[in-house]
Amino acid sequence: MFTERELRRGLRAKVFGNKIYTFQTIDSTNNCIKALANVGAAEGVVVLAEQQTAGRGRLGRTWLSQPEENLTFSVLLRPEVSTESINLLPLYVAVAVSQAIENSTGLRAECKWPNDLLIDKKKVAGILIESSMRQNRLEYVVVGLGLNVNQMQFTNGLLQKATSLKLETGKDFDRAKLLREILFNLETHYTQAVENDFKSVIPFWLSRTTMINKPIVVSQGNDIISGVVTGLSLDGGLVLQTNGRSQTMFAGDVTILADNPEQYMQAGSTTQVGAAFQKI
Ligand code: BTN
């Protein structure tokens, strides 16, 4: 298990990672950060665990990760951000982590709206943002990150959908070094983003995605909306062209249709598109 000392050695971030709690096993690092935030913990505190017994992802999913092989941690933020810009927070995290991965490995991890990172169309990292509001004000934000680093085996058919830095390069990565690079990039982008209500994140995100002009399907409960991605709105929504009109999505499960327009045409309606899905 990592010690705080080992993780902080050579840390370039000044505030993020100022205090790092490490656990062998915990329910969820996001839960732990919430508990710390509720008793007044300062911005930048990090909780890292080798194993989570109740690690969770978006939309009620479970986050599975092999102990000692990956990074699963959370950071506390107390940003001054308008409620309008809250949806830009996952995009900010995705950009910072993608940049850290690139600096550390040379790999380009693509941003998939709203909060995934993909390498070669497979998920390498997931981001879970949870926030607490008090009297209509954002009290704090918990940024949870699961990054597949050295894991080589994925169960339950996950191998088609998930990857790791080691699977992509054949190399083992120093997880402590990677964590320090991520914290540094999170802090650098944050310092810049808070100055303009997180709007500066948009061009960075657009330069790290390949979703633009791609046909996608968004499912929101029983609703399924299909369209072609045309951009991001200023408040972090995904803008789609659907049936000749523009529509902005703020939530949902996104499936990028295969990079083959012919398949998309054949798929026609959302009931038939299953064969063309590249479900992540
Ligand atoms: C997703 O892809 O849906 C988001 C996954 C987020 C997983 C991380 S692991 C650390 C932190 N603690 C959690 O319980 N979840 C996040």
Side-chain angles (χ1 to χ4, degrees):
M1 192 179 98
F2 288 119
T3 61
E4 178 180 19
R5 193 173 224 236
E6 185 181 358
L7 292 174
R8 296 196 62 238
R9 196 181 304 134
L11 178 64
R12 285 186 292 159
K14 300 271 179 295
V15 176
F16 288 24
N18 210 0
K19 178 77 206 146
I20 304 181
Y21 295 97
T22 63
F23 293 87
Q24 181 60 37
T25 306
I26 200 172
D27 57 348
S28 153
T29 55
N30 268 33
N31 289 353
C32 186
I33 285 280
K34 275 188 211 172
L36 289 168
N38 288 333
V39 295
E43 179 160 82
V45 63
V46 172
V47 172
L48 176 139
E50 286 294 1
Q51 185 165 24
Q52 298 182 109
T53 53
R56 57 176 185 279
R58 284 176 71 232
L59 310 168
R61 294 187 180 128
T62 302
W63 184 258
L64 299 171
S65 174
Q66 282 297 320
E68 328 284 334
E69 295 186 350
N70 299 319
L71 281 174
T72 45
F73 68 94
S74 307
V75 188
L76 174 64
L77 304 183
R78 295 187 181 275
E80 288 288 335
V81 55
S82 70
T83 38
E84 185 205 78
S85 285
I86 281 178
N87 287 316
L88 290 170
L89 288 172
L91 310 186
Y92 138 70
V93 177
V95 163
V97 177
S98 166
Q99 177 133 39
I101 291 174
E102 191 171 334
N103 296 347
S104 308
T105 67
L107 292 167
R108 184 115 181 139
E110 287 170 21
C111 299
K112 180 189 172 217
W113 188 91
N115 44 5
D116 288 340
L117 288 176
L118 312 182
I119 297 179
D120 201 14
K121 301 184 177 64
K122 293 181 178 179
K123 182 157 166 168
V124 70
I127 297 156
L128 180 66
I129 305 269
E130 296 181 302
S131 48
S132 167
M133 304 289 291
R134 184 168 289 209
Q135 285 159 356
N136 268 349
R137 259 197 74 246
L138 187 63
E139 193 189 10
Y140 63 80
V141 172
V142 181
V143 172
L145 179 76
L147 171 63
N148 298 330
V149 183
N150 294 324
Q151 185 167 335
M152 292 295 279
Q153 264 152 25
F154 291 88
T155 48
N156 301 335
L158 272 179
L159 199 54
Q160 282 100 55
K161 301 174 184 176
T163 191
S164 68
L165 301 179
K166 185 168 180 180
L167 269 174
E168 294 300 319
T169 57
K171 290 186 204 149
D172 248 306
F173 289 95
D174 176 338
R175 292 179 301 142
K177 209 167 157 192
L178 205 47
L179 174 78
R180 289 191 284 269
E181 186 66 22
I182 293 171
L183 292 176
F184 177 67
N185 278 276
L186 280 172
E187 183 171 294
T188 308
H189 280 273
Y190 186 71
T191 313
Q192 198 184 337
V194 285
E195 280 179 14
N196 49 60
D197 203 24
F198 284 82
K199 302 281 189 276
S200 59
V201 160
I202 295 173
F204 283 115
W205 191 90
L206 289 171
S207 72
R208 287 184 178 271
T209 192
T210 57
M211 289 181 81
I212 306 300
N213 292 328
K214 291 255 171 80
I216 65 159
V217 173
V218 185
S219 56
Q220 293 181 328
N222 288 334
D223 291 335
I224 295 187
I225 301 120
S226 60
V228 172
V229 180
T230 57
L232 277 183
S233 63
L234 279 177
D235 49 0
L238 190 68
V239 185
L240 300 185
Q241 191 71 20
T242 71
N243 301 326
R245 70 186 182 94
S246 188
Q247 198 175 350
T248 306
M249 314 301 301
F250 289 96
D253 201 14
V254 174
T255 302
I256 304 173
L257 292 162
D259 285 3
N260 182 347
E262 259 177 51
Q263 267 178 306
Y264 178 56
M265 297 312 284
Q266 281 161 16
S269 79
T270 50
T271 50
Q272 293 173 25
V273 288
F277 279 10
Q278 188 242 317
K279 185 94 184 87
I280 306 280

